[in-house]
Amino acid sequence: MKKQVFFRLSISLLVVVQIWLTYVTFSHPYLGVLVTENSRGEWIIGKLEQGSTSLLMNLQVGDRLIEVDGMPAAEHGTIRKWKAVEQAESLVVERNGQLLPVDAGHRKVYVGTDFYPVIGEALCLSLAIVLYRKAGNSSSARYLSLVFVNIGVIFASFGASVRGDTLGKFLIYSLMLLLPIVFLHFLVVFMKEKGQIQFPSNYLRYLYFIVGVLVCPALCYLVPDLTGYFYQLSSQFIIPFFLFGMLLNFSFLAYVFFKFRKQASYLTTIIKTVWWALAVSFVPFIFLSFVPKLLQSEPVVIPLYTSWFVLVFPISFAYLIMSKQLYDIDLVVRRVVFTTVIAAVPSALLTGIIAMIFSETASASHLLFSFMFTLILLSFVIYSLEYFATKLQPIMFPRKYHLQNALKKIAVDLQSISSFRELKEIVLVDIVNTLEVFGAAIVFQYNDRMETVLAGDISLEEAESLAAEAAESETESMLTRLDIIRHEEYASYLILTRKKTNTFLGMEEVQWLNLIISYLAVSLENMHLIGKLHLRLQSLAARLPNEQASQDFIWFRKLMFELQEAERKRIATDIHDTTLQDLFFLKKRFSSLMDTTNFSEEDQETMSNIIDYVEIINTNLRQSCFELHPHLLYEIGLLRTIQKVFEQEAAFCPFQLEFHAIGAEEAEAWDLDRKRHFFRIIQELLNNAKKHSQATKVSMKITIEDDMLLLFYEDDGVGFNLHKARDAELEIGTSGIGMEQMKSRVLYMDGQVDVRTSRGKGLQIWISLPIKGAVLA
């Protein structure tokens, strides 16, 4: 609670300070008139600052300042405090014995002193807010936010400080002393958090204490008579202490580097990143502004401009903390060096052309500025070319961008393919739309059959004919055949029609198509291998003996059955949610059309037949959904569900169908899993009878004897050779796979099955299952 109150008070104080500093900055022009007091107590203009309004006034160095805003010069507040004329409207100076009035209220906007600080402040405070909100749970992020706030307030104070505002100068002085210590504190916390490097942080308290002691003289700024003396005194150790603080930062990093340089690469990358970011941030600021000012009282480049480099460090680490990733600093430096070298040649040529065209007016400083500006601009453009090319790709290279997006979509969609038929909606439609062809097909050719999926306007016969001729000859055709994969057991082809624009495929489209084919080859091969594996697993699960040793494989049977049930439920749900709903709305549309349109009797009869046919399709699909996912098992129970199935099948089966359940009510006590397995056994027996028995009569009977549920199946069909069926290798679609599935379920339920049959003598099956069997694994 105390922390929240302190935080809110700090924010409120920061807002008030910001309002005041902004007011001072934009309510007074920056005069930039520095004065000195001679031995006679007269105030003489000693310097007119660059980028100030004084350059537009009728002032010269050496003029004697007589009055400021109607009062003697010595009584003006900014002269007494800072030996500078600021926040004034009018001046009176003496030059060559003449008194000259000067209007100091002329306002000219200077980007450097007026807007650069505001932009820098807005950037720093915005980054501090974003960093705190996005990664406020990170200690290093909170301290980095303080670094941003520190730099932002320094930027905000600059405009007011140069205009002689006491608060602005106090903040500049205090925060410049504090900045290197806050940096050091951040580095200690950052190394602990990101590199797991523990360092004692107690000494930071002493550094903060020293800063507090050094800030105390600045409190004398509030006393005008003492301000001048203490201002000169405090100015003497701002720069040395700042340089001392930065020396501590670099010493700390040097210690870390030499101690941990041989450890993990992640830590090494962190250290190198910190080194480069800190060097880029502070080397220009220190060696172009502070050190020259300390040695010769004048900076090479004024701190307002070199201070922008300071933002490199916190911005780099704001990215690092929020993204939780490091960039490869060696790669970044290498790219910067090479782009600078490349940009140097055209920059030199352009500067040479400028020198020849403006040979009379262009000075060496102008040419140097032109060269540096061009070099920096070209280096930035070359370095960021890859980034901007990627961002502008939809505009500059729309076709390539479209193909890449389509490739990503197809690559993702291929991961969800589980059957050959799904290729149409997942891949073929995208190929047709992307390449703008009339149609496309994928042909899967086995030794004895073909499977084909089509999309768009393409002939099935022509596609399969072209695929069949693939291994023999190249015939003239309007279709294009591309090999996907050739295998001993199968071959697959992609068949394409011509483009709708009647043009050839471009180079980018051909490369894209080759990538798609490589993806398809892997996907189709995986589907083929998974299908074979699934078939062999089913056969293995059915052939495991009903012995004690087979209990070790009960998990295997359970897995196979669960996969089957999950797939059946998925298919049933898809049919119910898509096709059945479409049929329902189609029927409603037809009925509505009949009610609102005056059809002839013949047309009405045709429409009624269509509606009836839609209803038949709807009924058949609902029956298929029920067979895939028998929801009635947990709505009306096992025996009534079986009875309902037999009643429905009796109307469509080509044989007489009988079913009897005598005293089998105890089966209703089974759990849903056992009921589902028993129902699947009944289904397998019925399906085999319809497909293979050629019987005239099929009967099933369920009874209970001695705690065993007995199922007896009998038909008078053609039968089969039992020994030959056991020895045969099962394949998908053969009659034996259903019987093997049925046997596998019986064994899984700890039951027994006995089959009696022979060629031409029908089929009899006895199945016994324990009523109170163990719970399935």
Side-chain angles (χ1 to χ4, degrees):
M1 184 65 181
K2 291 182 179 180
K3 289 184 178 180
Q4 291 182 353
V5 172
F6 177 76
F7 179 77
R8 291 174 181 174
L9 289 175
S10 300
I11 296 298
S12 301
L13 180 61
L14 182 63
V15 171
V16 172
V17 168
Q18 168 64 35
I19 293 173
W20 171 254
L21 296 176
T22 304
Y23 167 75
V24 173
T25 300
F26 291 97
S27 61
H28 301 286
Y30 170 42
L31 300 181
V33 180
L34 302 184
V35 296
T36 59
E37 188 177 12
N38 60 20
S39 58
R40 297 190 298 270
E42 299 172 337
W43 291 99
I44 309 299
I45 296 178
K47 182 179 180 182
L48 303 177
E49 293 281 11
Q50 293 293 325
S52 67
T53 310
S54 63
L55 300 178
L56 303 176
M57 299 188 296
N58 185 21
L59 294 175
Q60 295 180 7
V61 175
D63 289 348
R64 184 164 69 92
L65 192 60
I66 305 299
E67 292 182 0
V68 178
D69 289 341
M71 67 178 67
E75 296 180 8
H76 192 265
T78 60
I79 294 178
R80 292 169 60 193
K81 287 184 176 182
W82 325 115
K83 295 184 178 180
V85 181
E86 296 293 343
Q87 302 182 32
E89 297 293 332
S90 63
L91 307 176
V92 175
V93 299
E94 181 186 2
R95 184 186 306 159
N96 300 325
Q98 294 183 349
L99 296 179
L100 302 175
V102 177
D103 180 13
H106 178 73
R107 178 72 175 174
K108 177 177 175 59
V109 175
Y110 286 93
V111 176
T113 56
D114 291 349
F115 286 104
Y116 276 179
V118 175
I119 295 172
E121 173 206 7
L123 177 62
C124 290
L125 296 182
S126 299
L127 289 172
I129 293 171
V130 171
L131 188 61
Y132 188 82
R133 291 177 63 88
K134 295 292 185 181
N137 58 336
S138 167
S139 298
S140 60
R142 292 195 294 270
Y143 278 98
L144 187 58
S145 298
L146 290 178
V147 172
F148 276 119
V149 171
N150 195 322
I151 299 174
V153 177
I154 290 176
F155 271 116
S157 304
F158 179 83
S161 175
V162 297
R163 287 164 172 82
D165 180 68
T166 300
L167 179 61
K169 288 190 178 293
F170 175 79
L171 291 175
I172 287 280
Y173 171 75
S174 305
L175 296 178
M176 286 300 295
L177 295 177
L178 185 63
L179 181 59
I181 310 306
V182 177
F183 260 112
L184 182 60
H185 200 159
F186 162 72
L187 288 177
V188 172
V189 175
F190 179 81
M191 288 297 177
K192 178 180 178 181
E193 184 178 288
K194 300 298 182 181
Q196 305 301 317
I197 304 175
Q198 297 287 342
F199 289 102
S201 57
N202 293 333
Y203 66 91
L204 290 170
R205 299 178 182 177
Y206 301 106
L207 292 175
Y208 283 119
F209 177 76
I210 294 172
V211 171
V213 171
L214 294 178
V215 167
C216 288
L219 296 175
C220 296
Y221 291 177
L222 301 175
V223 183
D225 294 333
L226 300 177
T227 299
Y229 173 75
F230 282 101
Y231 178 63
Q232 296 298 324
L233 179 64
S234 61
S235 300
Q236 298 300 317
F237 49 77
I238 290 181
I239 295 177
F241 187 83
F242 182 86
L243 296 177
F244 168 73
M246 295 312 303
L247 181 62
L248 288 179
N249 281 271
F250 283 105
S251 300
F252 171 77
L253 289 177
Y255 169 76
V256 172
F257 177 75
F258 285 107
K259 183 174 182 179
F260 300 100
R261 67 184 185 278
K262 296 182 180 180
Q263 290 193 11
S265 59
Y266 177 73
L267 181 58
T268 305
T269 306
I270 287 179
I271 296 171
K272 288 192 294 185
T273 303
V274 173
W275 260 105
W276 278 106
L278 201 63
V280 173
S281 290
F282 286 101
V283 166
F285 187 68
I286 292 172
F287 290 99
L288 295 179
S289 296
F290 271 21
V291 171
K293 185 174 179 62
L294 187 65
L295 297 178
Q296 59 187 27
S297 300
E298 286 294 333
V300 175
V301 181
I302 61 175
L304 177 63
Y305 300 114
T306 55
S307 61
W308 283 89
F309 285 96
V310 175
L311 294 177
V312 172
F313 182 92
I315 290 175
S316 300
F317 283 87
Y319 159 79
L320 190 154
I321 291 171
M322 287 191 290
S323 67
K324 299 180 181 179
Q325 290 183 343
L326 286 167
Y327 44 78
D328 191 339
I329 193 66
D330 292 335
L331 179 61
V332 171
V333 172
R334 191 180 304 115
R335 287 186 62 181
V336 169
V337 170
F338 277 109
T339 52
T340 303
V341 170
I342 294 172
V345 176
S347 299
L349 291 175
L350 183 60
T351 304
I353 293 173
I354 294 174
M356 289 187 293
I357 296 175
F358 304 99
S359 57
E360 296 181 359
T361 58
S363 64
S365 59
H366 290 154
L367 294 177
L368 178 61
F369 175 80
S370 299
F371 175 77
M372 293 302 298
F373 177 79
T374 308
L375 180 65
I376 294 173
L377 181 62
L378 287 179
S379 298
F380 173 77
V381 171
I382 296 173
Y383 186 90
S384 56
L385 187 62
E386 180 181 1
Y387 172 80
F388 286 112
T390 303
K391 292 296 182 182
L392 297 175
Q393 192 180 53
I395 301 173
M396 299 174 60
F397 311 103
R399 187 58 179 164
K400 183 178 180 180
Y401 176 77
H402 181 59
L403 291 174
Q404 287 180 347
N405 283 344
L407 180 63
K408 292 176 183 177
K409 181 180 182 300
I410 292 176
V412 172
D413 290 342
L414 280 173
Q415 299 175 13
S416 61
I417 287 182
S418 58
S419 67
F420 180 70
R421 295 295 168 183
E422 292 179 350
L423 286 172
K424 175 181 177 181
E425 298 297 333
I426 293 180
V427 176
L428 274 185
V429 172
D430 284 336
I431 292 177
V432 170
N433 294 335
T434 302
L435 296 180
E436 298 178 352
V437 296
F438 286 101
I442 295 179
V443 181
F444 218 94
Q445 184 179 25
Y446 297 95
N447 294 329
D448 57 348
R449 70 184 191 280
M450 281 189 179
E451 287 187 80
T452 305
V453 289
L454 307 171
D457 185 11
I458 184 172
S459 169
L460 173 64
E461 293 77 11
E462 291 183 9
E464 292 188 344
S465 175
L466 185 61
E469 297 171 355
E472 301 172 4
S473 62
E474 298 290 335
T475 59
E476 292 292 332
S477 175
M478 295 298 291
L479 304 179
T480 301
R481 184 192 67 246
L482 300 168
D483 292 358
I484 299 177
I485 190 170
R486 293 198 180 205
H487 197 274
E488 294 179 356
E489 300 178 9
Y490 71 94
S492 56
Y493 308 96
L494 175 63
I495 311 295
L496 296 173
T497 64
R498 58 188 175 86
K499 295 185 67 174
K500 295 177 181 179
T501 56
N502 203 27
T503 57
F504 292 104
L505 293 176
M507 182 177 65
E508 291 178 344
E509 293 173 321
V510 172
Q511 293 174 348
W512 179 85
L513 194 56
N514 289 331
L515 282 174
I516 294 296
I517 289 175
S518 65
Y519 290 169
L520 277 174
V522 176
S523 182
L524 292 178
E525 179 67 9
N526 288 341
M527 286 167 51
H528 175 70
L529 294 176
I530 291 172
K532 288 179 62 177
L533 176 62
H534 186 69
L535 179 60
R536 293 185 181 274
L537 290 176
Q538 287 181 343
S539 176
L540 176 61
R543 292 173 182 272
L544 288 174
N546 187 23
E547 299 174 357
Q548 184 63 32
S550 68
Q551 295 300 317
D552 296 336
F553 297 92
I554 196 166
W555 62 269
F556 177 70
R557 288 195 179 103
K558 177 179 174 62
L559 175 63
M560 295 302 301
F561 294 140
E562 286 179 348
L563 290 174
Q564 291 175 11
E565 291 298 332
E567 184 65 12
R568 284 170 170 163
K569 184 177 181 180
R570 184 189 67 81
I571 296 172
T573 302
D574 288 345
I575 294 175
H576 180 274
D577 293 344
T578 56
T579 309
L580 286 179
Q581 299 300 319
D582 293 341
L583 289 173
F584 172 75
F585 287 113
L586 180 63
K587 183 180 176 181
K588 284 190 65 177
R589 291 289 299 274
F590 280 138
S591 299
S592 176
L593 191 62
M594 288 186 64
D595 294 338
T596 58
T597 307
N598 294 324
F599 287 112
S600 63
E601 291 185 2
E602 182 178 354
D603 290 338
Q604 283 187 349
E605 183 179 356
T606 301
M607 290 293 291
S608 296
N609 291 336
I610 291 175
I611 293 174
D612 292 339
Y613 186 65
V614 171
E615 182 60 31
I616 291 173
I617 297 174
N618 183 65
T619 302
N620 290 337
L621 283 176
R622 289 188 180 277
Q623 178 62 25
S624 298
C625 287
F626 171 74
E627 292 177 359
L628 288 167
H629 183 52
H631 57 87
L632 291 180
L633 283 176
Y634 40 85
E635 293 180 5
I636 63 175
L638 176 62
L639 297 179
R640 290 183 61 189
T641 300
I642 296 174
Q643 182 68 45
K644 188 175 181 64
V645 169
F646 270 80
E647 291 173 358
Q648 292 176 346
E649 293 287 348
F652 301 100
C653 289
F655 44 73
Q656 180 183 350
L657 187 59
E658 295 181 356
F659 172 73
H660 302 282
I662 304 174
E665 289 76 12
E666 290 186 46
E668 298 293 352
W670 279 348
D671 58 36
L672 183 60
D673 199 20
R674 294 179 72 86
K675 289 180 181 179
R676 189 186 296 115
H677 282 295
F678 188 76
F679 180 79
R680 294 298 185 199
I681 292 172
I682 299 290
Q683 273 188 317
E684 295 290 355
L685 291 172
L686 275 176
N687 289 335
N688 274 284
K690 288 189 292 184
K691 292 179 181 178
H692 310 295
S693 70
Q694 301 179 28
T696 59
K697 181 179 180 180
V698 173
S699 64
M700 291 190 206
K701 181 180 178 181
I702 301 175
T703 60
I704 291 181
E705 296 181 9
D706 300 329
D707 292 330
M708 298 291 290
L709 184 142
L710 304 179
L711 170 63
F712 175 66
Y713 168 91
E714 183 178 18
D715 69 46
D716 59 356
V718 295
F720 57 89
N721 190 322
L722 185 60
H723 297 289
K724 184 177 180 180
R726 287 174 178 169
D727 297 334
E729 181 70 23
L730 298 178
E731 296 181 3
I732 293 177
T734 61
S735 60
I737 191 65
M739 293 294 292
E740 295 296 341
Q741 282 274 11
M742 182 269 295
K743 291 179 182 180
S744 181
R745 291 185 187 275
V746 172
L747 293 176
Y748 179 63
M749 297 174 71
D750 202 22
Q752 294 182 352
V753 59
D754 183 22
V755 180
R756 297 180 185 178
T757 184
S758 60
R759 181 68 66 181
K761 294 186 178 181
L763 174 64
Q764 292 180 332
I765 300 176
W766 286 266
I767 296 174
S768 60
L769 301 170
I771 285 292
K772 299 179 180 179
V775 178
L776 300 181

